[in-house]
Amino acid sequence: RLHLKKKRNQEVASNPSSLSSCLKTFLSSLGQSNSNSDTCAEFRIKYVGAIEKLKLSEGEGLEGPLDLINYIDVAQQDGKLPFVPPEEEFIMGVSKYGIKVSTSDQYDVLHRHALYLIIRMVCYDDGLGAGKSLLALKTTDASNEEYSLWVYQCNSLEQAQAICKVLSTAFDSVLTSEKP
């Protein structure tokens, strides 16, 4: 099974039509009540960095997408976040439970973002002219006392938008399944 999963990841990473097929399968499985808990869409991304443990007063001004983009831009200019991520690729798995970012061999988990702790997501062109896009997540902690910003680099705007679409669908699926 692991070999098949790795093969599928390689196909998805290199074949846009395979990415589309994978998304359709994932999106349709979210609507099924008997879907497997490990069903997820996977994407090859790079980790840019994070700004963690922002106090409520610092994070409250980061409500809209433009606020997040501007904050990240200033953080990059101030040296708090790099403009270009390290070369190491990670696997971002998205499921109805949230996001898991793991090493490309999937043995080590770098981050987990529970779906209910993700407040906002935004994807945008990184502005460096290489066709790469950034995916930014604003999360909170379980007690809603602090915010964090997580920034990942995607291979293209289409990939970043696909991740946002899968996340949106996961949110919608969870919200509609909780209704009586």
Side-chain angles (χ1 to χ4, degrees), residues 40-100:
C40 70
E42 295 176 336
F43 304 89
R44 289 191 172 280
I45 51 92
K46 293 182 179 176
Y47 174 57
V48 176
I51 300 172
E52 298 183 69
K53 301 185 186 220
L54 292 168
K55 297 298 175 206
L56 283 179
S57 58
E58 298 170 295
E60 285 176 350
L62 303 174
E63 293 304 320
L66 199 53
D67 299 326
L68 285 177
I69 293 168
N70 288 335
Y71 192 90
I72 290 166
D73 188 45
V74 168
Q76 287 175 317
Q77 292 174 22
D78 291 346
K80 295 177 185 171
L81 284 174
F83 284 100
V84 180
E87 284 302 309
E88 184 177 6
E89 282 193 334
F90 295 93
I91 302 293
M92 176 179 280
V94 183
S95 75
K96 62 184 177 182
Y97 299 107
I99 294 174
K100 178 174 80 171

Side-chain angles (χ1 to χ4, degrees), residues 134-154:
L134 297 180
L135 171 71
L137 300 174
K138 178 183 175 186
T139 63
T140 187
D141 60 352
S143 60
N144 279 329
E145 293 179 4
E146 297 176 330
Y147 296 113
S148 294
L149 296 178
W150 308 86
V151 184
Y152 302 95
Q153 184 188 64
C154 300

Side-chain angles (χ1 to χ4, degrees), residues 5-137:
K5 194 173 186 180
K6 284 185 178 186
K7 183 177 180 187
R8 189 183 72 223
N9 288 345
Q10 291 166 347
E11 289 171 2
V12 168
S14 63
N15 184 349
S17 65
S18 183
L19 172 62
S20 175
S21 170
C22 180
L23 279 174
K24 286 177 187 169
T25 303
F26 174 72
L27 296 176
S28 66
S29 72
L30 280 176
Q32 299 171 358
S33 59
N34 64 347
S35 63
N36 293 336
S37 62
D38 63 347
T39 301
C40 70
E42 295 176 336
F43 304 89
R44 289 191 172 280
I45 51 92
K46 293 182 179 176
Y47 174 57
V48 176
I51 300 172
E52 298 183 69
K53 301 185 186 220
L54 292 168
K55 297 298 175 206
L56 283 179
S57 58
E58 298 170 295
E60 285 176 350
L62 303 174
E63 293 304 320
L66 199 53
D67 299 326
L68 285 177
I69 293 168
N70 288 335
Y71 192 90
I72 290 166
D73 188 45
V74 168
Q76 287 175 317
Q77 292 174 22
D78 291 346
K80 295 177 185 171
L81 284 174
F83 284 100
V84 180
E87 284 302 309
E88 184 177 6
E89 282 193 334
F90 295 93
I91 302 293
M92 176 179 280
V94 183
S95 75
K96 62 184 177 182
Y97 299 107
I99 294 174
K100 178 174 80 171
V101 179
S102 57
T103 54
S104 56
D105 62 10
Q106 298 192 346
Y107 289 114
D108 295 315
V109 175
L110 185 66
H111 306 126
R112 287 186 191 273
H113 306 292
L115 195 63
Y116 76 99
L117 296 177
I118 298 172
I119 297 171
R120 178 162 302 279
M121 61 186 165
V122 63
C123 58
Y124 60 99
D125 186 286
D126 69 3
L128 299 178
K132 306 289 185 184
S133 289
L134 297 180
L135 171 71
L137 300 174

Side-chain angles (χ1 to χ4, degrees), residues 121-123 135-136 159-169 171:
M121 61 186 165
V122 63
C123 58
L135 171 71
Q159 183 190 36
Q161 289 171 336
I163 294 169
C164 287
K165 173 130 178 94
V166 172
L167 267 173
S168 293
T169 304
F171 282 120

